[in-house]
Amino acid sequence: MRPRRPRLTDTVLHLVLAAWALLVTLPLAWAVLSSLKTDAEIFASPWSLPASPQWGNWVRAWQEAHIGRYLLNTLVVVGGALLLVMLLGALTAYCLARYDFPGNRIIYFGLVAGMLFPVFLALVPLFFVVDQLGLLGTYHGLILVYAAYALPFTVFFLHAFFRGLPAATAEAAFIDGCSHTGVFFRVMLPMARPGIVSVGIFNFLGLWNQYLLPLVLNPDPDRYVLAQGLAALAVSQGYRSDFSGLFAGLVIAILPVLAAYVLFQRQIRAGLTAGAVR
């Protein structure tokens, strides 16, 4: 067979993808370079390499701007919410996908409709509910709200995976004496691992960058998450003209998200491909 010649549409597509890669990469590279410069170098030559790397900018952002504390708060909140939403989302998606009961479709489409509801419309009633429960400005209050926010997408994403798993495997486990709980945790959940990893990464990225919910429900400065801390840092460092410290804090906040994507990029692609096939 003759090799297929590249068409004009392929060339145009590659050019568009290359342009998009530059648009995404250049701001990140500029932020990293700026975090290693002095303020004078940032304004004098924004795209040049630093004369000597100023690692003190990172130390100043970590200690004086409290980026380390904000990072720890974010890890606690996002980690707790991620564990909760993945457990509840997987259980809910499995029940809706594998069991027929009255109201199954109503519950599923109700959860899917939750993805279309703008979160800012619920901020005022959500604030009063959280306040009356005594959870305003607490870690566990923010964890519960984060988990509820990510639950519809998690159920929608995992529902297709559990529906596509072979029923014969579950039936064989039941014949061997396995309980419904055992079938879920020992058979079906490992088989849905690509989807679990993919939706976990998407939830991690979305919750890590969440700003609106903690802004309303987390007024305590000692419990600020990274998004709130960066906003406060932008104001304070802007008044002090410490732009190198501001860029250093920004890069520190980006690194965990970038590391998560680099480590799990294969699982993300595998999960998306499997979901598309099903």
Side-chain angles (χ1 to χ4, degrees):
M1 297 178 62
R2 294 182 180 180
R4 186 177 66 88
R5 296 181 180 180
R7 296 179 297 180
L8 180 60
T9 54
D10 295 338
T11 303
V12 173
L13 180 60
H14 290 160
L15 291 175
V16 171
L17 292 176
W20 178 254
L22 286 176
L23 287 175
V24 173
T25 306
L26 287 179
L28 179 61
W30 179 62
V32 173
L33 287 177
S34 300
S35 70
L36 298 174
K37 294 180 179 180
T38 62
D39 289 337
E41 289 177 325
I42 291 175
F43 290 102
S45 53
W47 287 106
S48 64
L49 295 175
S52 60
Q54 302 294 319
W55 298 107
N57 297 336
W58 290 47
V59 176
R60 191 167 65 255
W62 185 268
Q63 296 178 349
E64 298 180 12
H66 309 295
I67 291 296
R69 184 175 65 193
Y70 301 150
L71 180 62
L72 179 60
N73 293 340
T74 307
L75 289 174
V76 171
V77 173
V78 174
L82 198 59
L83 290 175
L84 183 60
V85 75
M86 292 307 299
L87 177 61
L88 295 179
L91 285 169
T92 305
Y94 175 74
C95 291
L96 293 175
R98 309 294 298 190
Y99 296 95
D100 291 327
F101 55 88
N104 182 305
R105 295 289 87 189
I106 296 176
I107 296 174
Y108 174 71
F109 287 115
L111 288 170
V112 172
M115 299 171 55
L116 307 177
F117 189 81
V119 66
F120 61 84
L121 293 181
L123 288 178
V124 174
L126 186 60
F127 173 84
F128 286 108
V129 169
V130 174
D131 187 28
Q132 291 174 2
L133 292 174
L135 301 178
L136 193 65
T138 63
Y139 288 137
H140 46 288
L142 204 55
I143 287 173
L144 290 175
V145 173
Y146 272 22
Y149 172 78
L151 186 61
F153 172 73
T154 305
V155 173
F156 173 75
F157 195 96
L158 293 179
H159 186 269
F161 277 85
F162 286 119
R163 284 186 66 89
L165 296 179
T169 305
E171 293 174 358
F174 284 127
I175 292 174
D176 291 338
C178 198
S179 64
H180 289 275
T181 304
V183 169
F184 173 73
F185 284 105
R186 299 172 61 182
V187 179
M188 308 303 282
L189 198 61
M191 293 177 65
R193 183 181 177 182
I196 296 290
V197 173
S198 298
V199 76
I201 295 298
F202 288 135
N203 282 333
F204 171 78
L205 297 178
L207 297 178
W208 187 273
N209 296 322
Q210 182 60 240
Y211 175 69
L212 195 57
L213 289 175
L215 178 66
V216 175
L217 305 175
N218 190 32
D220 186 0
D222 292 333
R223 298 180 184 272
Y224 275 0
V225 296
L226 265 177
Q228 292 175 283
L230 286 176
L233 179 64
V235 175
S236 61
Q237 302 300 76
Y239 280 118
R240 292 192 299 180
S241 298
D242 188 5
F243 294 100
S244 56
L246 176 59
F247 279 111
L250 178 64
V251 173
I252 293 174
I254 291 174
L255 286 179
V257 179
L258 187 63
Y261 179 77
V262 171
L263 290 175
F264 296 102
Q265 56 179 323
R266 291 184 179 179
Q267 288 84 346
I268 293 174
R269 289 198 299 266
L272 290 177
T273 304
V277 171
R278 289 186 176 89

